[in-house]
Amino acid sequence: MQIVWTSTLHSYMPIFVSFLHPLQQSQFLFYCCLISLSSLHAGKALNRPILRFQSSSWVRTVSRTGKSRGPEEPRIGVFICHCGSNIADIVDVKEVVDFASKFPNVVFAVDERYVCSEPGQALIRENIRKHKLNRVIVASCSPRMHETTFRKALEAEGLNPFLLEITNLREQCSWVHMHEPRKATQKAKVLVASAIAKATLLEPLTPMKFSVTPAALVIGGGIAGIQASLDLANIGFKVHLVEKTPSIGGHMAQLDKTFPTLDCSACILTPKMVDVSRHPNITLWSYSEVESISGFIGNFKATIVEKARYINKSLCTGCGTCASKCPVKTIPNEFDLGLGTRSVAYIPFPQAVPLIYTIDKENCLYFTKGVCRVCEKTCPFKAVDFNQQDKKVEIEVGTIVIATGYDLFDANRKPEYGYKQYKNVLTNLEFERLISAAGPTGGQLVRPSDGRAPKKIAFVQCIGSRDILTNPYCSRVCCMASVKQAHQAKEKYPDAKVFVFYIDLRTFGKGYEEFLWRVQEEGVNLVRGKVAEIYRKPKDENLTVLFEDTLLGQTREMDFDMVILAAGLEPRVDAQQIQKALKLSMSPDSFFLEAHPKLRPVETHIAGVYLCGCAQGPKDIPDVVAQASAAASQASIPLIQGEVVSEPTIAYVDKELCCSCKICESVCVYDAIEADETDEEKRAKVNEALCVGCGSCAAACPARAITMYGFTKEQISKQLAALLTEPT
Amino acid sequence: MNKLKFAFYWGASCGGCEIAVLDINEKILEVITLADIVFWPVAMDVKYKEVEAMADNSIDVCFFNGAVRTDEQEHMAKLLRKKAKTLVAFGSCACDGCVIGLGNLWDKETIFERAYIETPSTKNPNAVYPKTSITTKEGKLTLPRFYDTVKTLGQTVDVDYFLSGCPPPVPLILQAVEAISKNELPPKGSILMPSKSVCDECPREKKDKKLDKLKRIYELQDDQESCFWDQGVICMGPATRAGCEAQCPKVNMPCTGCDGPSPGVVDQGAAIISALASIATNDEVINQAVDPIGTFYKYSLANSILRRRVIKK
């Protein structure tokens, strides 16, 4: 005798599903779990009434849905789409139409070549009128494609758009059963039967509207944040731009020249920085961080911490007296990546915006030893204020743009290249500071070890990128950065020998390949092969590069005066704070994840939050600027509309059934459901604006007090019953 | 005033429900003034044939405890349904199958094998199993037929009211009797219990729940104040109907679910399983749930969506 479980799967499914991230759970799969609570089996089959209720003399009466079902008898129209040949070549659509027409509430069923086309939509509208349809089923492609299209057709005929049910005969039927037309047809019938079952229970739903605060928050003051802020401000909205460091400008401000046009980076960036500081619509929060964000699209609240500079920003004129008088001038300058030094009172670079000095508390003699105060005494404007405290400011915004940028890959994680061990091994970004006229050497390209001009320079590509041990992705900018720097080296020292060691040279942008040709003609040597290791010669700090020349098929060694590592781009270490605060998703590489890689590249899964720049993934300046403008444009849409409409397919708590166990609160990643503090019994309450309708709470609720509008237990039970019934 | 006629019967049960009736103590006297007990096998010698002889609908209320596992119980369930105007499924076995219903994890063959051969205390070298009839020199002796599947009373006959619990709480029994006496019974099909969860009656404080490790009750240093879930112990409270006044949690034992599914719940086990899975922070937590059926379906297996293990012969 063999004993097996049959229905176990259904009941245990929630376990497996619940371990997935809500965003990974398709709504339907999730609600399949709710079969466990279907009234179906326990009702008729077990000869026991499901709606077991009490008269008022016993206890309070249970109200199950909180809504009336509407008096009308369902009149269902079924529209079966051929999708050209996509469905009709596999599924016998005529047979499905015949099958559908036999259901009691189906008053009309028809097939159509493309239901999504204009004539197809007209067909729906015409038959809604003709047959007085009050429920519409479209059996076509995924609802992700045309749900909105068909909802609008219903709306145009005065029907509530949520009286539409889509069943997917393409992705979930014809495409996956391409070689089994008979079975596909049978499955199509089952799918249509299940849609009919659900449609009989569909109820009209009303979307909710929320007003929008006409302001935006831009996090990050690099070129992405600058561009997004300027665009939003120019459209006419108030912008709060928050930058962590004392000045905006980001990585772009550190670059000497940009590829392939060789524009001076500062020359093209600083006018934009000045525009930001002067724009009447932009409030610049420099040396500030976003501490927390709450709320939802249209109504975000953010707490910004403005760190103490110990210099009064309204009094400081940027004259620099404090810096010049400051006795401690040997602090490694972060902006120059430690290649140069600065005073304790400093601005990161001469064109800093805002032009306000900052006192570095950690290195200040007054803060560490209680002496000095020279800056305080010498400041002509009495702007120094050692008693300044961090200031918290709460702002309200309608939308948020994330432009937090990137961190440079720490080349120490590849110790074989000797970064920080050998003085003459530098990164691309350090090279930028060396060759910049505003840099620590005044633009002299010299070896850090002895200040001599290098005669032989190597550029080593893909440090930390395209490497399974560190980051598998391509950082996209390093090939062009090295090629451009090779050109700059040749420009400074035409006799120098310059080598670029690469795996593949990716010069994909406009004018990039042409630039590469030019650089090759200038005599830069390109060697295809990954560098294995770099050794130092102790006597002269020269470097030996061990590499495989894959075109020659040889392992070779070559000596250089200087080696430049093309360190890749990585997500910001502190990006997770923002990710947690806003419940954003990250892609596997830990950059922020866009809502759709092709069609929604600057939106996130959280309504009202947009991405641009390297926070979303490595990219070069033209791409960053284009994406920043796109994000600004997207972020302005709700602000211009003035109100946002939210999907009504969200969770609803039956207070009579809720037992205040707080399990729903624990599972909601959107903080959209929590104990109602105004309720004496602390029963759960849904924040309708935050709820995205993922269904986690409904599946988790042990008292089954939570209903998902559009996916009620009754609807899903009926649907499942139909799915489990053999079609005739 | 015409006295009412009450009947009590026990199907597959432990006898605890009978004790619960007696637990109403001196109130039993009021019951007796209110009604004549015409049939009560545990206390009175009334033969089945005498019940058969009664007129249909002559019994006002029959309280039926125990599940239906033999043909005798099925016969009596059907007989009492016919004879009684109002049939009350009394106790967890009659309502949901209770522990008796866990027999649905096996079938008659495996149960007999276990009970009459395998158990260490059994000596049965000739492998003798109970038979439904045997002829002796005194005549033919019969035993009821033992079914593969335990059914609830509701799965066997039409039931008017349900009063669950293992056993039903005394105040609810009194409330039911009072309602009967005043003719104030709710609509047919009602459960004569509060429309709430055990949590609604439980004084323990509930907080945000994230489970990274499950504890069994012997591993717990109970703080006696916070929700068992918050202390890493499975408690059936949220999916279990109230009425017991959270007796167990009040004396530091988690609810095991004897009052049956709470008002919104159909499958008590599934409700708790999906809750547990939702708040578990890792897969291990699920594996730590020892004896899932015995934990989640202790009282409700026979009346759940699962109902029983499928027998394939």
Side-chain angles (χ1 to χ4, degrees):
Chain A
M1 190 184 73
Q2 190 198 1
I3 294 178
V4 292
W5 287 103
T6 48
S7 347
T8 323
L9 177 69
H10 290 141
S11 287
Y12 282 77
M13 201 149 67
I15 296 183
F16 307 112
V17 178
S18 299
F19 276 114
L20 302 171
H21 187 272
L23 289 172
Q24 295 170 312
Q25 300 158 341
S26 80
Q27 270 187 329
F28 185 77
L29 175 64
F30 210 96
Y31 292 116
C32 279
C33 316
L34 297 176
I35 183 180
S36 332
L37 45 98
S38 80
S39 42
L40 157 85
H41 299 262
K44 248 199 289 186
L46 306 196
N47 188 24
R48 177 162 164 186
I50 285 313
L51 255 169
R52 302 180 289 185
F53 52 89
Q54 285 73 31
S55 76
S56 54
S57 65
W58 293 90
V59 272
R60 55 178 191 266
T61 315
V62 181
S63 105
R64 294 286 297 208
T65 62
K67 291 190 302 176
S68 67
R69 183 142 293 155
E72 42 164 30
E73 182 70 8
R75 292 180 63 81
I76 303 173
V78 183
F79 299 83
I80 295 165
C81 184
H82 293 208
C83 194
S85 60
N86 276 304
I87 295 171
D89 269 10
I90 320 293
V91 172
D92 185 341
V93 286
K94 295 284 178 201
E95 195 180 321
V96 182
V97 169
D98 284 348
F99 171 78
S101 359
K102 289 182 189 128
F103 281 79
N105 288 315
V106 173
V107 292
F108 178 74
V110 72
D111 59 305
E112 167 66 26
R113 204 165 144 72
Y114 289 104
V115 182
C116 61
S117 68
E118 278 297 332
Q121 293 176 53
L123 184 75
I124 297 179
R125 296 184 51 179
E126 182 192 321
N127 284 291
I128 290 175
R129 287 195 299 271
K130 198 164 146 194
H131 295 280
K132 298 194 168 43
L133 301 179
N134 55 21
R135 305 282 190 282
V136 172
I137 292 171
V138 181
S140 55
C141 49
S142 159
R144 290 194 68 154
M145 306 283 163
H146 281 299
E147 194 167 53
T148 320
T149 315
F150 300 135
R151 278 182 182 171
K152 282 188 178 146
L154 267 68
E155 219 168 1
E157 288 305 319
L159 268 187
N160 182 289
F162 293 89
L163 297 172
L164 167 79
E165 179 65 17
I166 292 183
T167 189
N168 185 350
L169 296 192
R170 196 177 71 176
E171 287 88 338
Q172 291 178 355
C173 189
S174 66
W175 280 359
V176 283
H177 305 295
M178 214 165 258
H179 305 296
E180 306 166 299
R182 229 12 265 159
K183 286 184 180 171
T185 303
Q186 288 300 95
K187 180 170 171 182
K189 287 186 197 169
V190 173
L191 289 170
V192 168
S194 114
I196 294 169
K198 185 179 174 188
T200 55
L201 295 178
L202 284 177
E203 289 170 6
L205 299 173
T206 317
M208 281 156 299
K209 289 180 177 174
F210 302 96
S211 65
V212 172
T213 308
L217 166 66
V218 177
I219 307 174
I223 181 59
I226 289 171
Q227 185 64 44
S229 301
L230 286 172
D231 285 359
L232 281 162
N234 286 335
I235 296 170
F237 294 107
K238 175 97 194 135
V239 178
H240 296 274
L241 172 59
V242 180
E243 166 58 37
K244 187 166 67 172
T245 66
S247 169
I248 56 169
H251 281 110
M252 187 175 168
Q254 290 173 289
L255 306 181
D256 178 45
K257 284 184 176 162
T258 59
F259 56 76
T261 48
L262 301 173
D263 286 309
C264 157
S265 188
C267 309
I268 56 174
L269 176 66
T270 47
K272 280 186 181 287
M273 291 163 58
V274 174
D275 284 351
V276 166
S277 69
R278 296 215 174 126
H279 205 296
N281 281 345
I282 299 179
T283 307
L284 174 56
W285 300 94
S286 58
Y287 208 46
S288 302
E289 290 189 49
V290 177
E291 186 186 70
S292 63
I293 302 176
S294 61
F296 49 91
I297 181 168
N299 300 277
F300 290 108
K301 276 199 173 84
T303 308
I304 295 170
V305 179
E306 191 177 27
K307 291 175 277 188
R309 288 178 188 258
Y310 306 104
I311 288 178
N312 186 325
K313 65 178 176 182
S314 49
L315 296 177
C316 178
T317 62
C319 71
T321 310
C322 52
S324 61
K325 300 286 182 193
C326 177
V328 186
K329 291 196 168 60
T330 52
I331 312 299
N333 187 349
E334 297 83 358
F335 186 79
D336 287 333
L337 305 160
L339 294 170
T341 56
R342 61 162 170 83
S343 312
V344 165
Y346 73 106
I347 49 170
F349 54 102
Q351 304 97 320
V353 170
L355 189 61
I356 299 167
Y357 279 75
T358 304
I359 292 173
D360 162 14
K361 189 179 180 183
E362 275 174 33
N363 292 303
C364 174
L365 289 178
Y366 171 70
F367 282 112
T368 54
K369 301 202 171 78
V371 293
C372 187
R373 301 180 87 145
V374 169
C375 51
E376 192 183 23
K377 288 164 206 151
T378 54
C379 175
F381 305 97
K382 302 286 170 225
V384 175
D385 175 8
F386 287 112
N387 297 320
Q388 211 174 58
Q389 299 290 324
D390 291 359
K391 198 169 90 188
K392 273 190 195 178
V393 186
E394 190 160 280
I395 58 161
E396 289 181 6
V397 293
T399 52
I400 298 173
V401 177
I402 312 266
T404 46
Y406 67 91
D407 278 338
L408 202 67
F409 175 81
D410 177 9
N412 276 316
R413 280 161 60 196
K414 301 294 286 180
E416 59 270 35
Y417 298 131
Y419 180 65
K420 293 284 180 198
Q421 305 164 50
Y422 314 149
K423 287 179 184 159
N424 296 329
V425 175
L426 299 174
T427 62
N428 275 149
L429 197 56
E430 285 167 334
F431 183 97
E432 291 293 332
R433 293 317 302 148
L434 272 190
I435 205 152
S436 164
T441 57
Q444 295 301 305
L445 177 59
V446 291
R447 300 189 346 148
S449 66
D450 50 18
R452 278 197 305 112
K455 295 192 181 68
K456 223 176 155 187
I457 306 173
F459 288 88
V460 178
Q461 296 308 105
C462 297
I463 306 300
S465 312
R466 304 182 72 195
D467 182 340
I468 49 164
L469 296 175
T470 52
N471 296 315
Y473 56 83
C474 169
S475 291
R476 296 183 83 215
V477 299
C478 343
C479 281
M480 277 306 288
S482 291
V483 167
K484 183 213 71 173
Q485 291 177 354
H487 160 81
Q488 286 180 292
K490 268 300 213 193
E491 198 175 49
K492 291 263 180 201
Y493 308 114
D495 295 335
K497 300 224 175 319
V498 179
F499 284 75
V500 178
F501 296 92
Y502 66 95
I503 310 178
D504 297 291
L505 273 174
R506 296 184 164 175
T507 53
F508 50 84
K510 193 173 181 178
Y512 291 7
E513 187 66 18
E514 296 87 327
F515 186 80
L516 176 65
W517 279 102
R518 170 183 168 185
V519 171
Q520 276 177 286
E521 278 159 15
E522 287 166 1
V524 170
N525 298 291
L526 306 177
V527 181
R528 186 172 182 274
K530 184 145 184 167
V531 169
E533 208 168 345
I534 297 171
Y535 313 106
R536 179 181 67 118
K537 297 192 166 162
K539 89 174 165 357
D540 54 7
E541 289 285 340
N542 279 1
L543 302 153
T544 302
V545 172
L546 172 67
F547 65 97
E548 185 195 6
D549 186 328
T550 55
L551 297 180
L552 293 176
Q554 284 177 350
T555 306
R556 295 174 61 195
E557 285 185 350
M558 212 183 269
D559 290 349
F560 290 94
D561 298 344
M562 198 172 186
V563 175
I564 312 299
L565 303 178
L569 275 48
E570 284 200 318
R572 285 275 190 205
V573 268
D574 48 6
Q576 288 196 339
Q577 270 171 270
I578 290 167
Q579 182 263 325
K580 280 192 186 127
L582 284 167
K583 328 276 185 228
L584 295 174
S585 303
M586 311 291 251
S587 48
D589 53 22
S590 297
F591 287 101
F592 289 112
L593 182 67
E594 62 281 359
H596 188 282
K598 302 274 186 295
L599 303 177
R600 296 170 68 194
V602 298
E603 291 165 76
T604 66
H605 287 291
I606 304 298
V609 181
Y610 309 87
L611 298 173
C612 63
C614 293
Q616 182 261 343
K619 54 182 71 67
D620 58 13
I621 296 166
D623 285 4
V624 167
V625 174
Q627 206 186 16
S629 284
S633 157
Q634 284 288 332
S636 70
I637 294 172
L639 305 183
I640 292 168
Q641 287 174 335
E643 63 177 19
V644 284
V645 177
S646 83
E647 279 279 296
T649 45
I650 56 166
Y652 159 80
V653 179
D654 184 338
K655 293 229 169 196
E656 299 290 321
L657 296 180
C658 174
C659 69
S660 325
C661 71
K662 294 194 179 174
I663 282 178
C664 53
E665 195 176 321
S666 315
V667 299
C668 181
V669 293
Y670 303 99
D671 290 341
I673 189 164
E674 55 189 16
D676 183 357
E677 293 301 326
T678 60
D679 176 6
E680 197 184 322
E681 310 221 35
K682 303 256 186 302
R683 298 186 192 275
K685 190 180 174 192
V686 176
N687 181 326
E688 291 166 344
L690 286 178
C691 179
V692 300
C694 76
S696 300
C697 58
C701 176
R704 299 305 191 203
I706 302 175
T707 299
M708 302 303 301
Y709 286 139
F711 297 89
T712 65
K713 292 157 203 167
E714 290 77 12
Q715 288 169 354
I716 291 162
S717 302
K718 276 247 183 182
Q719 218 173 349
L720 286 165
L723 284 172
L724 297 169
T725 309
E726 197 72 27
T728 47
Chain B
M1 183 185 112
N2 273 345
K3 269 180 110 176
L4 294 168
K5 284 181 183 164
F6 280 7
F8 294 91
Y9 184 72
W10 53 356
S13 73
C14 67
C17 289
E18 310 284 356
I19 307 293
V21 173
L22 297 176
D23 273 348
I24 64 176
N25 298 332
E26 71 282 359
K27 293 266 168 66
I28 191 85
L29 301 171
E30 287 173 29
V31 174
I32 289 166
T33 48
L34 175 76
D36 283 332
I37 298 171
V38 294
F39 179 54
W40 194 3
V42 78
M44 295 157 53
D45 187 15
V46 177
K47 304 295 184 206
Y48 289 178
K49 58 179 183 235
E50 294 169 47
V51 180
E52 281 159 15
M54 292 176 191
D56 287 357
N57 290 327
S58 62
I59 302 170
D60 290 293
V61 184
C62 172
F63 296 91
F64 190 110
N65 77 69
V68 177
R69 118 91 75 226
T70 66
D71 64 353
E72 178 193 10
Q73 288 151 358
E74 187 177 4
H75 168 74
M76 287 309 292
K78 287 179 177 162
L79 179 68
L80 288 164
R81 172 66 278 186
K82 218 158 63 175
K83 302 298 171 194
K85 282 187 206 134
T86 301
L87 180 64
V88 180
F90 189 82
S92 176
C93 292
C95 290
D96 295 306
C98 197
V99 178
I100 311 288
L102 292 177
N104 286 353
L105 293 171
W106 296 278
D107 59 357
K108 176 188 158 185
E109 216 172 288
T110 20
I111 292 171
F112 275 18
E113 178 87 7
R114 178 75 187 148
Y116 295 105
I117 306 285
E118 290 173 0
T119 40
S121 58
T122 303
K123 196 177 173 191
N124 186 359
N126 300 325
V128 177
Y129 290 106
K131 294 189 180 65
T132 47
S133 73
I134 190 166
T135 314
T136 62
K137 60 176 188 291
E138 291 86 3
K140 193 178 162 191
L141 297 176
T142 61
L143 275 178
R145 192 156 70 83
F146 189 96
Y147 293 147
D148 279 325
T149 301
V150 176
K151 283 187 182 172
T152 68
L153 185 62
Q155 288 163 5
T156 314
V157 293
D158 191 24
V159 173
D160 300 314
Y161 298 103
F162 298 87
L163 178 50
S164 194
C166 185
V170 170
L172 294 185
I173 300 174
L174 289 170
Q175 200 180 17
V177 171
E178 196 186 327
I180 292 163
S181 69
K182 292 184 181 160
N183 202 14
E184 282 176 0
L185 276 168
K188 181 178 150 87
S190 294
I191 296 179
L192 307 179
M193 301 170 85
S195 248
K196 299 191 286 183
S197 296
V198 171
C199 301
D200 288 303
E201 298 182 334
C202 176
R204 287 175 180 255
E205 195 194 344
K206 299 148 201 158
K207 293 193 192 114
D208 205 10
K209 294 169 173 59
K210 283 281 172 221
L211 267 184
D212 42 23
K213 190 181 180 304
L214 269 187
K215 286 193 192 123
R216 299 186 73 187
I217 191 71
Y218 73 86
E219 296 170 298
L220 176 71
Q221 286 270 347
D222 184 14
D223 63 15
Q224 308 194 3
E225 280 168 8
S226 42
C227 174
F228 281 106
W229 282 100
D230 295 335
Q231 300 188 68
V233 173
I234 296 171
C235 175
M236 294 291 288
T240 302
R241 193 175 277 266
C244 58
E245 288 162 5
Q247 283 178 38
C248 300
K250 280 179 187 163
V251 294
N252 309 334
M253 286 298 286
C255 171
T256 55
C258 74
D259 275 358
S262 56
V265 175
V266 169
D267 192 308
Q268 209 180 357
I272 292 292
I273 289 167
S274 47
L276 171 66
S278 298
I279 57 171
T281 54
N282 59 69
D283 298 25
E284 254 325 285
V285 174
I286 305 302
N287 297 332
Q288 286 159 2
V290 180
D291 184 16
I293 290 284
T295 306
F296 304 115
Y297 289 97
K298 190 171 191 171
Y299 303 93
S300 65
L301 180 65
N303 201 26
S304 69
I305 294 171
L306 301 176
R307 291 190 71 184
R308 65 155 300 119
R309 190 184 290 208
V310 170
I311 307 167
K312 282 196 176 171
K313 287 192 181 161

